[in-house]
Amino acid sequence: MKKLFFAPLLAVLFLSFKPSDKKIIVIDAGHGGNDKGATYEGISEKQIVLAVASNIKQYNSSQDEFEIVLTRDSDQNSTLTDRTDMINKLNPEMVISLHINTSTSKESAIKGHEIFTQKSEASKALADRISKKLGTCNIEEKNLHILRASNAPAVLVELGYLNNTEDRKYLTSEKGQKEVAQKFIEIIAEK
């Protein structure tokens, strides 16, 4: 009698724990913990990119096709090697690493996005889609750890300049962070 009950229970448990069919997209919120990234008058890059990444994950919660995985979901230290090891274990469809630029002058006239890619055509195609959605910008192949060590197509996106008044106001506002996150959801859905 116990065997008859136990076998159907195992079948139900197995079916309920089957692997997800969703494609994994990794969003890397740059820096974190002791590494603030770019800073300007008490504002740090690590705070802004984490807010944008968290909004991307939240906006994707009802998506059936993709699962957003963040390399960090709080203000924690994480080495670049730890991040790329995690990325490669997940074997995602794509990796988008979020950052904020800064220039050498105190207040910068330079503003806007910048995208760095791997050598791969898939990385360059992703960069083109991002540039079209966020606004035309400089796209450059660069030898950065997150790009070099990630096996999946990866891009590093500088969302703007922290020491540019217009970019800073937009990227530190809740409205701006949500708008940027929504654009990334649209970019991901285009795949």
Side-chain angles (χ1 to χ4, degrees):
M1 189 70 131
K2 287 181 183 177
K3 287 182 182 176
L4 293 175
F5 174 75
F6 190 65
L9 179 61
L10 279 178
V12 169
L13 287 174
F14 178 78
L15 291 174
S16 66
F17 291 115
K18 72 176 188 172
S20 172
D21 292 333
K22 292 183 179 185
K23 295 175 183 172
I24 295 173
I25 310 298
V26 172
I27 304 295
D28 173 52
H31 308 284
N34 295 331
D35 180 4
K36 294 179 181 182
T39 60
Y40 186 86
E41 297 181 352
I43 303 166
S44 67
E45 175 181 3
K46 69 175 185 172
Q47 297 165 317
I48 297 168
V49 296
L50 180 58
V52 172
S54 297
N55 279 319
I56 292 170
K57 184 168 178 76
Q58 179 184 347
Y59 288 161
N60 191 70
S61 63
S62 63
Q63 174 65 253
D64 290 333
E65 192 176 345
F66 299 102
E67 178 181 350
I68 301 293
V69 176
L70 304 180
T71 56
R72 68 180 180 96
D73 58 7
S74 63
D75 187 18
Q76 63 198 39
N77 286 319
S78 180
T79 69
L80 287 170
T81 301
D82 290 342
R83 290 175 187 203
T84 52
D85 286 350
M86 172 190 167
I87 288 165
N88 292 332
K89 285 177 187 168
L90 290 168
N91 192 28
E93 289 288 308
M94 68 179 79
V95 178
I96 301 171
S97 185
L98 303 176
H99 291 266
I100 308 285
N101 239 330
T102 190
S103 66
T104 55
S105 62
K106 176 148 174 62
E107 187 62 33
S108 177
I110 303 169
K111 66 178 188 168
H113 309 25
E114 192 170 21
I115 305 172
F116 300 111
T117 71
Q118 302 165 311
K119 291 181 180 184
S120 78
E121 291 305 313
S123 175
K124 293 173 183 176
L126 175 57
D128 285 338
R129 288 196 342 250
I130 293 169
S131 179
K132 287 175 184 167
K133 186 62 75 173
L134 297 181
T136 304
C137 67
N138 181 46
I139 299 173
E140 179 183 338
E141 189 178 298
K142 204 151 190 178
N143 186 21
L144 302 170
H145 181 86
I146 198 86
L147 302 175
R148 181 178 62 249
S150 295
N151 295 333
V155 294
L156 186 146
V157 181
E158 299 279 2
L159 296 172
Y161 281 79
L162 192 55
N163 60 336
N164 174 278
T165 303
E166 188 178 336
D167 280 356
R168 183 176 57 257
K169 284 182 180 176
Y170 182 69
L171 291 169
T172 57
S173 73
E174 186 177 338
K175 178 183 183 226
Q177 291 169 358
K178 288 184 175 188
E179 285 177 358
V180 170
Q182 184 58 50
K183 288 178 183 180
F184 275 104
I185 289 297
E186 293 166 11
I187 291 160
I188 290 164
E190 288 175 10
K191 177 91 171 118

